[in-house]
Every structure is written in C-alpha cells, then in structure tokens.
Amino acid sequence: MAETIETLQKTSRVIQPSDSIKSGTYIQNYEQAYKQSIEDPENFWEGIAKELDWFSPWNKVLEWNYPWAKWFLGATCNISYNCLDRHTKSWRKNKVAVIWVGEDGQERIFTYAALHREVNKSANALKSLGLHKGDRVTIYLPKIPEQIFVMLACARIGLIHSVVYSGFSAPALQSRIQDAEARVVVTADLGYDRGKKIPLKTVVDEAVSNCPLVEKVIVVQREKGHFPLTAPKEIDWDEWVQGQSTDCEAIPLDSETPLYILYTSGTTGKPKGVVHVHGGYMVGTYITTKYVFDLKDEDVYFCVADPGWVTGHSYIVYGPLLNGATILTAEGKPDYPNPGRWWDLIEQYGVSIFYTTPTAIRLLMKYGEDWPKKYDLSSLKVLGSVGEPINPEAWEWFHRVTGGTKPIMDTWWQTETGMIMVTPLPSVPLKPGSATRPFLGVEADVVDREGKNTDHGGGFAVITKPWPSMMRTIYKDPDRYLLYWNTIPGVYTAGDVCHKDEDGYLWFMGRADDVVKVAGNRIGTAEVESALVSHESVVEAAVIGKPHPTAGEMIKAFVILKQGEHESTDLIKSLKDHVLRELGKIAVPREIEVVPSLPKTRSGKIMRRVLKAKELGQDPGDISTLEE
Ligand code: PRX
C-alpha cells in the first residue's frame, strides 16, 4: 500500500435530483432509509431476501465468525429459479428478457419463457455429460446469448461456473481451467472484434491440451465448419442441446452453495478465484439493481459490460434477471462500425437505463458531441458508470450529451464485493467524480493504516461489516481471503485509496496496491512482470500504471535485459507479442523501457512506488529502505 495518501479533492458542483426523479423513485429519502438500514442490517437484508423465492426458509440471517460469513443459514434456494421460474410463473412469462444484438447487427430476442427453455435444454445437456453438483464448468465465450444460457444452466443444477473473459490468451485460460479443475469447457469457434474474426477455438485447443481433467469441449459454431470438431471430445452446441427436454427443475441448494468462481488479479502473479454463493449474492445483486437504477418493469436496461467480468455477472445476468428486467446486450465496441453505435442502440430499443464505463465515455468524447446529437436519447432515465474513477470532465460530458437531466450513478464495487457498495441512488444529490455514499445496509469508511477514521481526509477504503454478497473465499486459497480482512484489523480492505469529504461523500482515487486499471480492466503488475521475465531476453521486469487520457491508466514496463541482449525496435515488439501470447491484449504494456537496474529494498523487493514517482515527476516519498 502507498505510504502516504495525497488528497486530490477538487471543489465540485452539487447536482440536486429533479422533483420528478425524486417523486417516482423507490428510495426517496436516502438519509432516512440508510440510517434505518444500518441500525439493524440483518433486519434490512432479511426484508430484502423476503422479496425473492426460497424453497425453504432460513433459521438465522447471519453467522459472522470473523472473517467468515454465512448468510440465510439453513435456507434452500436457487438463483436460476429466481431469475427464470419466478417470472415465468407470473405475467412476465412473455415479457422480453434478453435482446441481443451482434456486432453485425444480427438480433436475437428471448422472452422469459424462451430463455427458460434454452436454459433448461442446456442444463439437461450438462447433465447428459455426467456432471454432478459442485463440478466446475469453464465458460470461454464471446458476448453471445449462449453465455447467459450456460451460466444459468450451471446454476440451475448446482454446477459452479467459471467464466473467463474471451480476450485472455491460451496460457491465461489454461491456468484458470487448471485451478478450477473444470471438467467441461464451453466455447465458440469465433468472436468478432471490429469486423475481425477472433479464433477462440484455437486458444481453447492450446489451453486444453495441457488440461487432462477436461473431458468435453462444447463449441458454439457461429460459422459452421470454420474449425472441424474432433469427436468425441468436442461437441457442437446445437447437437448438444438438440432433443434435450425444455423442462429441468432448478434444484434446491443450501444458500451457501457456491454459484461461481471468477478469477481476478491481485498483487501476486497468480489470479485469485473469487467465490460467490447462491443465497447472499442473489439478495445483494437483486436489490442493488432495483434501487440504484430505479429499475421498473417498463424499463429497457442496457449494460455494456461483458459477462467475462464481474459487472456482466452481476449487472447483465443475475441482478437484472432477478428483477424480471428487459435487458439489451450488444456485442462489439462503442465505436464500431461508427461512434454512434451505442447512441443508435439506445434510440432503436428505447433504452431507459444505460450502464457504462469511464473509458468508453472518454473514447466517445473524443469523437465529439455531434454523434450523440444525431440520435433521440429521450428514453434515457438513469445512467451508470463503473470500473474506475470517472473524472469530472467525462462525467459532465456524459451528463450533457444525454440531455443534462439524467442522474449518473457512479457505482463503486469489486469482483470480491459481488454487488455495488458505494453509489448514489437517483434521489441523492450528485457531485461529479464522487461515488457519493454507501448503499443501504453497507457500512463503508476511510481509515488510516491502523484502522483509525481519518475524519474527512485521504485513506484506505474499507467495509466495516459483512454483507450478503461478499465473496466467501478465494478458491483453494483461504489464506488469500484472510488478507482482505487482516490488512487493517477488523475490517475488509478493498485496496483502494479514497477521500471522504465534509458531506461524507466518498471519492475513490485508484488502487493502493499493485493493481492497474486499464480501461477498467484489472491487471496485476506481477502477472505482466512474470510474463515479461518468461521472455528469453529479459532477466527482470517491473510494471507500473501510468495515467492515460482515455484508458484511465496504461501499463508501463521497465526491463533489464540479459547480458549480450541489446535494445531494438524488434526486441520491444517481441516483448509486447510475448505478453500478448501469455496473457492477452489487455495486458500488453503500451511502453517498455530498457533499464540497467531497478530500485529495490534491501530485501530485494522492487519499489514500484519509486519508479512511478520518477516516471510522473513526483516526490518518491520515504526512500530510506532503498538499496540503490
Ligand atoms: O479500484 C476500484 C475500481 O475497480 C476495482 C475493482 O475492480 P474489479 O474487481 O475488476 O471490478 C470492476 C467492476 C466492479 C476497485 O477496487 N473501481 C470500480 N468501480 C469504481 C472504481 N474506482 C472508482 N470509481 C468507481 N466507480
């Protein structure tokens, strides 16, 4: 963690909610609702849980055996049942659940009943492979509806899904399959990226060749015959689900049954498998989607994330479906085929809730205001931002081009928290650049290293009480879980630097640890370093995050070359290609500098903080432990 924390608070305007927004929203008086919720959080969460369906009730809301939590003890439930059956048994049966738009404009629409049938067929197909409750299934798919089907299908029969973002390369996929000990991998032949075909199947072939536990690979063939499949291990998706019954009961599961593992980066080279469970996760994602976005039945909800990341898990798939929402999900980039892509989708489908990222906003900003001006965006009601701090300039631009009256929910949370933790609600006065206040039932604070309240200053963001959708452990690595609760005694340390202003508003300022946020994607500097040192010409590497005008942060690497190796354009390119092959496009350093040595502590630890300060022309702070 950083030794000192500078407070970069800017004075900022306050935007009051309009009367019409305030009067129509679920939570009209945040202060009162918040106070009530934290006076008795268990009572608050129990009340929310009762809005969902359970097969059998709990006998205790929370068992807090610091730092291990169990929620809704003794109850049985199934998140897939709550996403599907709860709606198909109601008037929502024929309501549109998912509108999917492909990069090429292809459209696929599923009502709740149709989605239910697809999920059931996939669940029966999974059963036909002889999978049992608790088995892991790795999902490496582009953003297509099958990704949603198979996630819900796993949940339905108690399998644990591990979705891996389809931009990861073969070694990164392989290590995730191996760690999860997955028996099945679900993939597609191709993804599309700005018109280019991305051969996903080739990546899977390479990864799976080193994963002896994988018995079957299911392949969605978007262009049949592009890659011939090798029977009996590889199965075409259509053949796999063909003839399967459209009925499949969601099995009652103990509320603490694992739902998924999602790998995320930390301070070591090995990604962490964050584990979430059915019961608590369902309650947290359900209510945050409902209250933060003021989600009503008539809304059309568009979240631009990819289910390969946690935002897609919680706020494309689970949260919105738990609420019976109509979801728009679109493959592709915001500026392909042109920078009007998302504005056009908003107009075409009458989107009322639009959840996006600061990086995308900054990218669209570059193309200018004429693009959004071309479209009718009057259907918009509530906007959202996630993944990294949103700078006030981007906030103001987003606010202005969408009509100047739509509240922006700057939602702060993490893979580990499962749900949005700090966020405005539509009725809360906004300050551009601040995620404002904790969500109902959540107690967040800013403290110093000892855990003392910093009283309106900079410090570390912490959560002081357990919450239902908190991760339960790190898969096969409970010690790494403990670190979250031990770093500052008694509280959950998020790893973020934060400032609390005089109104109690929280301003998240970035990571305090060795994690870089490139375009909102979380990348561990250690992962990139180990990829670099696995290159034949490199002996040592250090990686830092550096501010970037669009992506928020970019990766800069410093490398020491092996004796006899010399810096050249070809070598730098070869290093970048190597990281691309090892980890994937998102982890490739934008800048690589060859250096003769690296700043280290006497015990040999690289002081990235010093490198960063030097790079940014800042004071490196305390360097008394520096060896050289
Ligand atoms: O640093 C914070 C940043 O993203 C981190 C979590 O990354 P990840 O687990 O990949 O989840 C991203 C999607 C929830 C946090 O530790 N972060 C997320 N949202 C915000 C943010 N930083 C500032 N403001 C936000 N709204």
Side-chain angles (χ1 to χ4, degrees), residues 12 55 89 91 129 226 260 289 303 348 401 413 473 571 589:
S12 156
F55 298 122
K89 287 183 194 279
W91 68 268
L129 301 180
H226 198 97
Y260 68 77
T289 311
C303 170
Q348 267 191 61
V401 303
W413 58 294
T473 191
L571 178 69

Side-chain angles (χ1 to χ4, degrees), residues 173-250:
L173 172 63
Q174 179 186 310
S175 68
R176 285 158 175 79
I177 296 173
Q178 284 169 341
D179 189 74
E181 296 170 286
R183 290 181 60 190
V184 169
V185 176
V186 182
T187 190
D189 50 358
L190 297 164
Y192 299 104
D193 185 9
R194 292 194 169 95
K196 253 192 14 229
K197 290 180 186 174
I198 310 293
L200 301 179
K201 172 71 169 42
T202 319
V203 177
V204 173
D205 288 348
E206 189 187 331
V208 167
S209 67
N210 295 312
C211 301
L213 295 181
V214 173
E215 296 157 33
K216 297 284 177 201
V217 177
I218 313 300
V219 187
V220 178
Q221 298 200 72
R222 306 181 78 184
E223 295 187 16
K224 286 249 190 258
H226 198 97
F227 296 102
L229 304 186
T230 318
K233 188 167 181 173
E234 298 177 349
I235 309 175
D236 169 65
W237 171 285
D238 290 338
E239 287 171 22
W240 185 56
V241 294
Q242 197 184 20
Q244 293 293 347
S245 163
T246 53
D247 289 324
C248 175
E249 291 285 312

Side-chain angles (χ1 to χ4, degrees), residues 53-108:
D53 288 352
W54 301 75
F55 298 122
S56 61
W58 49 89
N59 46 47
K60 202 173 172 196
V61 176
L62 167 67
E63 187 182 274
W64 181 224
N65 185 8
Y66 169 82
W68 304 99
K70 286 184 180 164
W71 285 84
F72 310 109
L73 282 89
T76 54
C77 63
N78 188 307
I79 198 168
S80 169
Y81 182 94
N82 275 279
C83 288
L84 299 168
D85 308 53
R86 203 164 78 85
H87 309 307
T88 53
K89 287 183 194 279
S90 79
W91 68 268
R92 292 196 189 99
K93 180 169 182 166
N94 295 318
K95 182 181 172 180
V96 171
V98 176
I99 305 170
W100 174 85
V101 184
E103 200 186 68
D104 60 359
Q106 188 199 349
E107 186 189 69
R108 293 169 73 189

